[in-house]
Amino acid sequence: MHGLARLLAILAVVIPVAGTLLSLVRHPHWLFRFWDFPRVQLAVTTAAGAVAWLVFFFRGTAVEVAMLVAAAAAIAWQVYKIFPYTPLFRKQVQPADAADRDNVLALLISNVLMENEERDRLLAVVKGRAPDVLLAVETDAAWSYALEKGLGEDYPHRILQPQHNYYGM
């Protein structure tokens, strides 16, 4: 196998297949959870790599067949996971009537970026929008304190989970 074929196999088949397998592991570490997100990219990359392999390098060896079967399985799994989020899947929630303002729930979600120290800007947005529910992510203890101090009276019911690893809420 020459260099270009090896590079194609690694970048377009081996890495996406390995990523697909890693996404099946139910461990919270980022090494496993990272692969839950680029599903479309993994499927497209694997499909393009498999087709390129078939067109330019396929010689019919058992290793190549196994590699292409693994690629097909990875593509099938990614499509299975993507399908519910496409327009082809049946809708699970009916559209709301825009005129029915009595049954509206306002939700504000903000990724605050833990290192960001401009807490007053978020407080101003929240006070201006007055959402029914506020979800702030990537919050640490300083963000939790600022939000509780600035919004505590307006939002008496809250769950705080500040963390120093970008997973705070």
Side-chain angles (χ1 to χ4, degrees), residues 3 13 41 49 53 66 81-82 90 94 100 112 117 130 135 142 151 158 166:
V13 178
Q41 294 87 338
W53 186 273
K81 295 300 277 185
I82 295 166
R90 68 175 171 78
Q94 297 303 315
D100 188 8
V112 301
E117 295 183 3
L135 173 60
L151 301 171
R158 58 189 168 269
Y166 299 97

Side-chain angles (χ1 to χ4, degrees), residues 119-120 122-124 126-127 134 136 139-156 158 160 162:
R119 295 173 183 92
D120 290 338
L122 177 61
L123 292 172
V126 172
K127 288 184 184 260
L134 169 65
T139 56
D140 59 4
W143 269 100
S144 181
Y145 176 77
L147 291 172
E148 193 167 5
K149 183 179 175 192
L151 301 171
E153 290 181 19
D154 297 329
Y155 296 91
R158 58 189 168 269
L160 305 173

Side-chain angles (χ1 to χ4, degrees), residues 9-145:
I10 291 170
L11 292 178
V13 178
V14 174
I15 291 175
V17 168
T20 299
L21 292 173
L22 287 172
S23 75
L24 298 174
V25 176
R26 293 288 119 211
H27 191 279
H29 192 274
W30 70 266
L31 178 65
F32 304 103
R33 297 293 48 91
F34 167 82
W35 298 102
D36 289 337
F37 299 99
R39 294 197 185 280
V40 172
Q41 294 87 338
L42 288 172
V44 170
T45 301
T46 308
V51 168
W53 186 273
L54 281 169
V55 171
F56 298 110
F57 301 110
F58 187 71
R59 301 289 179 254
T61 67
V63 170
E64 289 176 313
V65 171
M67 182 178 76
L68 293 173
V69 167
I75 293 165
W77 178 254
Q78 296 301 351
V79 169
Y80 170 75
K81 295 300 277 185
I82 295 166
F83 183 72
Y85 303 99
T86 68
L88 302 173
F89 196 73
R90 68 175 171 78
K91 291 186 174 148
Q92 295 180 334
V93 177
Q94 297 303 315
D97 181 5
D100 188 8
R101 293 289 178 205
D102 293 335
N103 292 318
V104 173
L105 177 71
L107 171 65
L108 191 148
I109 301 173
S110 178
N111 183 331
V112 301
L113 185 61
M114 196 168 65
E115 293 90 7
N116 178 9
E117 295 183 3
E118 298 181 41
R119 295 173 183 92
D120 290 338
R121 288 181 65 191
L122 177 61
L123 292 172
V125 168
V126 172
K127 288 184 184 260
R129 297 283 183 164
D132 299 307
V133 178
L134 169 65
L135 173 60
V137 296
E138 288 194 23
T139 56
D140 59 4
W143 269 100
S144 181
Y145 176 77

